[in-house]
Each structure stands twice: as structure tokens, then as C-alpha cells.
């Protein structure tokens, strides 16, 4: 088979590494990819939002399967364009990717189908939102821009003043662009967060092993929100009781709700859950693998990823036995000092060869490129590498991952030192 992956980050490198393990696959392409992905796939200079070019390329190369990793092209309808061109694609169509693309849609869906989530109101006008804040609101309160905002469109406001400023930033100043044309104001919840990724074929859902992200830039969950500074899998807080609750009230209920709305979902649903004192609640849905959750979940998956993708497309997921290794994995992101605000790019990276043929260790590239000579690997983003290691236990995986972060180096290398530390409390 020939497989094309769409995207350019650490998640797509993890997907490519899984695809490369399949006996069924002869050739992997990635659009646009990055320098690390380029070691196992042929990267083609086509942007993830260039739908017609992607479809033309897929036809020209007779691609058998396209796997769309990123949210923007899914929400924009890349899968629909590919299907119309007769190309098999893994990921939700536009009318289903709205589960991630519109927070107002997902909140209304959960309300209509009684899926546990925080209470909320939706506003089209800043004035109405402000009036609501003055009359009804309890603080802290959560403001969410409706659309995609690179994970930054959520503001937790401790005071009325902060919330007023937030409404202006999102709706009036359009700090997150058109994502802010509608606003969700949501009740603040407390509890531990867990990410659960799943495969869905329109009617059947199969849960992957749980994971936990670390979104803040600094140790102790301080500093600014980032795309994710590290992950571990499984989460010891995702207990049997939590799983039973979610199986009963959240997972299948979401898939059935989407089907009932005439929006059957095929692909990956990412459930962002908060384990509150009153039980698990949905914080958010994503319509794709998490980044960097994919970097700890996929290396532990026993199945051939091609079989799983095809079962999702063909609607035969009920016949597939999805299995994960009985171990753990930790991913530590190596970023450039200053991320997510301001940082240097183009710095040489050394030591990458240490990962070659090292069983249970992975160096997923997030932001790298090759120098003009085509030999020296350079940093090319805020998040540069995701160092993943497996271990028999979370503690062992954590020790292995941190040891492996020492194998690679670049100027201004920055990482959190407490990824997975929460497991000590479990
Ligand atoms: P989201 O993109 O909706 O997952 O929001 C990003 C982050 O904001 C989440 O991972 C939580 O840490 C936080 N968050 C979102 N909604 C709430 C809420 N209702 N209560 C407390 N924290 C929240
Ligand atoms: N790690 C969170 C996300 O991918 O949205």
C-alpha cells in the first residue's frame, strides 16, 4: 500500500512510525511533514490546507489511504474532498469534525443527549455576554471562543473584570479571529484531567489506552498554556470505575448522538475529561489524535494501524480486537527556551543517532528541518522534539524518557522536569 499522512508535527511523526511498522505498507508520503518524518517517509511540499493539491497528488501517486492528522484540514473538509475524488481517507467528514470545530455545537450536542459536561450559555453578541456576566455569573468562570484557536481560545477568569476583558478580547477585538464570532461561557470545574482517545467507525467506538497531557510551559503547571510539554500513558487516575462511568454515559452516547444528528463520525474522537467530585465530565472533544498524546499511546498499540484505520472507514470496527501493551510510556517535549512566546530557530541538533534501533525509545520530531547541505538537523519551531520511552511501569518509563532527553542537545534546549510526576500521588 501507499499511504499519505497530512500534517507536520510530532503527532504525524508518531502516526508515520506506526504506519512504517505495517507489513502492508510499501511507501509512506507526508504533506508537508518535517525533517524527522522525512527519515521514514517522502515529504512533499504541499500544505495541509491545500485540499485540491493533496487530492491531485493522491490520485497521481495512486495513494491507497490518506490519514489526516491535524484539526484544521478535518474541520475544513479535506476528507470530503478526498472522498469525492475517490480516495480513501481516515478522519471525520466536515459535518462530523464540527465536534471539535465548534464548541457551541459540541455543548448543545452534550446537552441534548444528556452527556455529562459543565453548564454553559452561548452568546452571539458581546453585549449579551457582558450582561450575563453582570447578572448571573459565578467566579471563576470559563470563556471559550467557539472555533479553532490553536488551543488558546479558552480563558479562565477569576474576577468580573477579567471576564469582561476576556469577552472584549474574544468577541470585539477578535484576538482569535473568526473563532470568536460566538462565545461559550461555561461553569468552572475542578479535578484531574485525563485524555482518552478512541477509534470510531460511525457506530462502534473502541477506546485506546488513557493518557495525560501537561499543557503549561513550566514545572508545577505554571506559566503559559502551550501545545503540550509532555504526556504519560496510561493514567493511573483513569480507574475501572471511571472507565465504567464513561462507557455508560459518555463514549457510545457521543457516537450515537452524532449518528442521530445525521453526522456519523469516523476517525478518532479525543475525549478531554475532567474527573470532578461529581464524576467524569467532558471538557472538550477533538476530532483527531492528541499531540503529544499520540506519542505515548501509538507506540503501545499492538494492532497494525492500517487495519484499524480501514476498519473505521469500512464500518467493521466491531470485529477488531484493539489491544495495548501492558506497560507505560512517557513523552518529554524538548522545546526552545522562550516557547510559547519568543524563541530562536535554526540551531543545530546533535545526538539524534542515539535513538537508532533502540527498542522502546523514540525521538519524534515536532519542529525540525535539515540544513541546506541536507545533513545537519536544525531546530525549526517552539516544540522541537518529543522524546518518548516505554517502561514496565510509569516510573520506569519516566526514568527512561528523562535519561534519553540527555542523549540529544541543542542550544536553548528547554523541558519540564516534572512530566508524569503526578503518578507519585496515585
Ligand atoms: P479545552 O480546550 O476546552 O480543553 O480547554 C483547555 C483547558 O482549559 C482544559 O484542558 C482545562 O484545563 C481548562 N478548562 C476548560 N474548560 C474548563 C472548565 N469548565 N472548568 C475548568 N477548567 C476548564
Ligand atoms: N494535547 C492536546 C491536544 O492535542 O489538543
Amino acid at each position: 500500500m501507499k499511504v499519505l499522512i497530512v500534517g507536520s508535527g510530532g503527532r504525524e511523526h508518531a502516526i508515520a512510525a506506526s504506519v512504517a511498522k505495517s507489513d502492508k505498507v510499501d511507501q509512506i508520503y507526508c504533506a508537508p511533514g518535517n525533517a524527522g518524518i522525512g527519515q521514514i517517509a517522502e515529504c512533499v511540499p504541499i500544505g495541509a490546507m491545500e485540499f485540491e493539491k493533496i487530492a491531485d497528488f493522491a490520485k497521481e501517486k495512486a495513494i491507497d489511504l490518506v490519514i489526516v492528522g491535524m484539526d484544521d484540514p478535518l474541520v475544513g473538509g479535506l476528507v470530503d474532498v478526498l472522498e469525492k475524488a475517490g480516495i480513501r481517507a481516515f478522519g471525520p467528514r466536515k459535518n462530523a469534525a464540527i465536534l471539535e470545530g465548534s464548541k457551541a455545537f459540541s455543548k448543545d450536542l452534550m446537552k441534548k443527549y444528556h452527556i455529562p459536561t459543565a453548564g454553559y450559555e452561548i452568546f452571539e453578541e458581546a453585549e449579551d455576554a457582558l450582561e450575563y456576566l453582570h447578572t448571573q455569573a459565578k467566579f471563576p468562570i470559563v470563556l471559550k471562543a467557539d472555533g479553532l484557536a490553536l488551543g488558546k481560545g479558552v480563558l479562565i477568569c477569576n474576577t468580573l473584570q477579567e471576564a469582561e476583558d476576556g469577552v472584549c478580547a474574544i468577541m470585539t477585538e477578535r484576538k482569535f479571529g473568526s473563532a470568536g464570532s460566538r462565545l461559550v461561557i461555561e461553569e468552572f470545574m475542578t479535578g484531574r484531567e485525563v485524555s482518552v482517545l478512541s477509534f470510531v467507525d460511525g457506530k462502534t467506538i473502541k477506546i485506546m489506552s488513557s493518557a495525560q497531557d501537561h499543557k503549561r510551559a513550566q514545572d508545577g503547571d505554571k506559566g503559559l498554556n502551550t501545545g503540550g510539554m509532555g504526556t504519560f500513558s496510561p493514567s493511573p487516575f483513569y480507574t475501572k470505575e471511571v472507565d465504567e462511568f464513561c462507557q455508560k454515559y459518555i463514549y457510545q452516547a457521543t457516537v450515537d448522538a452524532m449518528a442521530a444528528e445525521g453526522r456519523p463520525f469516523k476517525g478518532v474522537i479525543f475525549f478531554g475529561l475532567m474527573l470532578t467530585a461529581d464524576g467524569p465530565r467532558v471538557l472538550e472533544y477533538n476530532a483527531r489524535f492528541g499531540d503529544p498524546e499520540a506519542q505515548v499511546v501509538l507506540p503501545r498499540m499492538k494492532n497494525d494501524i492500517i487495519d484499524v484505520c480501514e476498519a473505521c472507514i469500512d464500518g467493521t470496527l466491531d470485529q477488531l480486537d484493539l489491544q495495548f501493551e501492558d506497560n507505560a510510556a512517557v513523552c518529554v517535549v524538548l522545546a526552545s527556551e522562550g516557547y510559547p512566546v519568543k524563541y530562536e530557530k535554526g540551531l543545530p541538533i546533535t545526538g539524534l543517532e542515539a535513538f537508532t534501533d533502540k527498542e522502546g525509545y523514540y525521538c519524534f520530531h515536532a519542529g525540525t528541518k535539515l540544513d541546506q547541505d541536507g545533513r545537519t538537523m536544525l531546530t525549526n519551531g517552539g516544540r522541537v522534539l518529543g522524546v518518548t520511552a516505554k517502561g514496565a511501569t510509569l516510573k520506569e518509563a519516566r526514568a527512561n524518557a528523562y535519561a534519553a532527553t540527555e542523549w540529544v542537545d541543542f542550544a536553548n534546549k528547554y523541558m519540564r522536569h516534572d512530566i508524569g510526576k503526578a503518578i507519585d500521588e496515585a
Side-chain angles (χ1 to χ4, degrees):
M1 281 175 75
K2 292 183 188 172
V3 176
L4 168 65
I5 297 162
V6 177
S8 59
R11 165 184 49 210
E12 285 74 26
H13 195 178
I15 294 171
S18 274
V19 169
K21 283 197 300 191
S22 172
D23 298 335
K24 301 187 172 74
V25 176
D26 309 304
Q27 172 82 48
I28 311 172
Y29 297 94
C30 190
N34 64 36
I37 297 172
Q39 293 168 340
I40 51 174
E42 187 179 325
C43 294
V44 289
I46 303 176
M49 295 306 283
E50 297 184 289
F51 295 177
E52 295 303 330
K53 279 194 193 169
I54 293 172
D56 289 346
F57 176 83
K59 270 193 284 191
E60 182 198 313
K61 296 285 183 192
I63 299 289
D64 300 289
L65 175 67
V66 180
I67 301 176
V68 186
M70 287 171 74
D71 48 2
D72 282 304
L74 289 168
V75 171
L78 173 57
V79 169
D80 307 58
V81 171
L82 292 169
E83 284 181 350
K84 274 201 196 88
I87 300 153
R88 270 163 82 77
F90 174 77
R93 290 181 187 156
K94 184 174 181 168
N95 75 351
I98 191 174
L99 190 62
E100 170 166 8
S102 167
K103 294 198 188 279
F105 171 86
S106 72
K107 294 299 291 189
D108 284 345
L109 185 88
M110 287 187 264
K111 188 176 187 180
K112 182 169 172 187
Y113 293 92
H114 310 292
I115 297 165
T117 188
Y120 71 102
E121 296 286 337
I122 297 171
F123 298 94
E124 313 266 345
E125 305 291 340
E127 275 168 42
D128 299 336
L130 291 170
E131 188 180 318
Y132 173 82
L133 288 176
H134 281 270
T135 53
Q136 311 264 340
K138 284 198 212 80
F139 297 89
I141 202 159
V142 185
L143 307 186
K144 298 187 173 183
D146 178 48
L148 294 182
L150 299 168
K152 295 187 182 127
V154 175
L155 304 178
I156 298 186
C157 305
N158 290 306
T159 62
L160 177 62
Q161 183 64 51
E162 271 181 52
E164 285 175 347
D165 294 347
V167 169
C168 289
I170 293 173
M171 298 194 90
T172 316
E173 292 160 21
R174 291 294 171 92
K175 211 174 142 198
F176 307 106
S178 60
S181 59
R182 275 195 293 180
L183 178 74
V184 176
I185 300 189
E186 196 175 280
E187 170 201 349
F188 177 77
M189 304 187 290
T190 51
R192 203 172 274 286
E193 288 183 43
V194 182
S195 304
V196 176
L197 280 56
S198 67
F199 290 105
V200 184
D201 73 353
K203 30 184 214 300
T204 300
I205 177 164
K206 298 250 161 127
I207 299 305
M208 297 180 226
S209 185
S210 61
Q212 187 176 321
D213 193 4
H214 299 63
K215 289 197 171 95
R216 301 294 198 96
Q218 293 162 22
D219 283 14
D221 290 328
K222 300 214 169 64
L224 294 171
N225 257 319
T226 71
M229 294 301 294
T231 36
F232 58 86
S233 171
S235 165
F237 306 102
Y238 190 78
T239 59
K240 200 162 154 274
E241 290 71 39
V242 172
D243 182 61
E244 277 168 7
F245 181 97
C246 296
Q247 298 283 358
K248 196 164 168 194
Y249 298 109
I250 295 177
Y251 302 144
Q252 191 68 48
T254 300
V255 175
D256 293 346
M258 290 299 282
E261 292 292 308
R263 300 170 181 275
F265 192 106
K266 292 185 175 196
V268 170
I269 300 182
F270 168 135
F271 297 85
L273 303 172
M274 187 173 266
L275 310 181
T276 75
D278 301 323
R281 299 282 180 269
V282 178
L283 277 173
E284 64 160 345
Y285 293 116
N286 293 317
R288 47 162 178 88
F289 288 102
D291 187 344
E293 282 87 348
Q295 290 90 313
V296 283
V297 172
L298 286 178
R300 300 182 49 235
M301 189 167 86
K302 287 188 187 173
N303 304 69
D304 182 326
I305 191 171
I306 300 298
D307 292 343
V308 186
C309 292
E310 299 217 286
C312 290
I313 295 171
D314 296 335
T316 56
L317 196 57
D318 59 330
Q319 292 159 40
L320 186 127
D321 183 16
L322 189 65
Q323 289 195 356
F324 284 81
E325 292 169 3
D326 183 19
N327 56 10
V330 169
C331 173
V332 180
V333 169
L334 303 185
S336 299
E337 179 92 53
Y339 172 73
V341 183
K342 196 166 168 250
Y343 46 84
E344 265 184 84
K345 287 187 194 176
L347 305 164
I349 306 169
T350 55
L352 290 163
E353 61 287 347
F355 287 87
T356 313
D357 299 324
K358 238 347 159 314
E359 182 73 25
Y361 290 84
Y362 308 79
C363 186
F364 297 120
H365 292 225
T368 62
K369 69 170 185 195
L370 281 173
D371 195 359
Q372 275 169 350
D373 66 11
R375 280 193 297 269
T376 316
M377 195 67 80
L378 304 174
T379 69
N380 192 37
R383 288 190 296 171
V384 179
L385 302 167
V387 171
T388 294
K390 293 196 224 177
T393 61
L394 278 164
K395 276 206 172 108
E396 197 181 302
R398 186 165 177 250
N400 291 346
Y402 273 106
T405 63
E406 301 298 325
W407 303 347
V408 274
D409 205 13
F410 50 90
N412 299 337
K413 174 173 128 181
Y414 173 81
M415 69 184 118
R416 274 182 62 161
H417 288 90
D418 62 348
I419 302 301
K421 194 156 179 255
I423 58 183
D424 298 341
E425 299 157 27

